[in-house]
Amino acid sequence: MLGKYGCVVVANGLFPSGKLALQALGGAECVVACDGAVMALEKVRVPDVVVGDLDSLPEEVGRRYAGRLYRVEDQETNDLTKAMAYVRAAGFREVLILGATGLREDHTLGNISLLMRFVKEFGRVEMLSDFGLFTPWLRTGILASRKGQQVSLFSMGGCGMVSVRGLRYPIENRCLTEWWEGTLNEALGDEFEVILKEGAKVLVYRAF
């Protein structure tokens, strides 16, 4: 379901401990850390680059990574956005984001919402936690699942029509105007289809 990513970005939320996340970190060509995530990440893998305004980085840690720091002073964007801009400029087009949820709900919601911006800038981008996977979805298509897997859809802006095939509870040409309306569904098999019309865009969450 996850596949391999060339680049993994680690944000300063709840650091993942699940098998999929650790495998992704081990197999990535490049690992980019938001500055506040370095201390947790370095216990698993030394980051190739540390990006941010560096205000969350202790002086001793900054010295240790002096050759890997990329400072961005812009206070109008968060560190995840700064890291993703660095990754895009470096030429990576398939990116997995870890550590973007947990700890603070405001950071969690803000980071999740950014996926709809990032998906327009990259070929593939997803956000993984120890509990599930967020995939931004802008077109009709099929996603992998397993029978009984819990699935939620969140409409992100606009009011395009959404339909699904292969989930227990039907959604047929509905405009999901509130976040809860497409949640708590269940996969019937090893894949399901999300059908989007009229500019609809959704975040698909598949729980582990």
Side-chain angles (χ1 to χ4, degrees):
M1 181 173 72
L2 192 59
K4 187 174 181 179
Y5 281 87
C7 184
V8 173
V9 172
V10 183
N12 191 24
L14 182 64
F15 190 80
S17 60
K19 181 179 178 181
L20 284 177
L22 297 180
Q23 285 178 341
L25 281 171
E29 177 184 343
C30 178
V31 174
V32 176
C34 296
D35 57 11
V38 173
M39 285 77 79
L41 173 60
E42 66 181 357
K43 297 173 184 177
V44 177
R45 174 171 169 168
V46 174
D48 297 286
V49 184
V50 179
V51 178
D53 54 21
L54 307 183
D55 61 350
S56 303
L57 208 62
E59 185 176 341
E60 181 273 329
V61 177
R63 287 195 300 269
R64 191 160 70 245
Y65 289 97
R68 303 176 185 229
L69 301 180
Y70 185 82
R71 184 187 298 272
V72 182
E73 298 285 0
D74 181 13
Q75 294 298 313
E76 298 301 316
T77 59
N78 67 3
D79 283 346
L80 178 58
T81 303
K82 295 179 176 74
M84 293 296 283
Y86 173 89
V87 167
R88 185 175 65 254
F92 290 99
R93 290 297 175 264
E94 296 193 340
V95 185
L96 180 66
I97 301 170
L98 304 176
T101 62
L103 300 185
R104 279 183 57 172
E105 288 84 356
D106 53 350
H107 286 179
T108 294
L109 290 171
N111 287 338
I112 291 171
S113 72
L114 282 169
L115 280 171
M116 300 312 299
R117 176 196 296 181
F118 296 152
V119 73
K120 298 175 183 177
E121 302 172 349
F122 295 87
R124 184 167 66 113
V125 60
E126 292 180 294
M127 185 177 286
L128 176 71
S129 74
D130 286 340
F131 309 101
L133 180 70
F134 280 102
T135 303
W137 208 247
L138 303 179
R139 65 192 185 281
T140 293
I142 293 174
L143 293 96
S145 61
R146 66 176 188 278
K147 185 176 181 179
Q149 185 174 28
Q150 299 299 292
V151 175
S152 290
L153 274 65
F154 299 89
S155 181
M156 302 297 290
C159 194
M161 296 300 172
V162 179
S163 301
V164 298
R165 303 282 185 272
L167 298 182
R168 179 172 300 279
Y169 305 111
I171 299 175
E172 187 68 37
N173 287 324
R174 283 187 58 188
C175 177
L176 305 177
T177 58
E178 298 187 31
W179 284 4
W180 66 269
E181 291 184 63
T183 62
L184 307 180
N185 218 319
E186 182 178 321
L188 298 176
D190 59 5
E191 63 181 29
F192 61 95
E193 184 177 22
V194 177
I195 303 160
L196 302 181
K197 297 180 181 178
E198 302 168 12
K201 50 186 180 180
V202 298
L203 279 176
V204 180
Y205 178 77
R206 287 167 285 180
F208 297 144

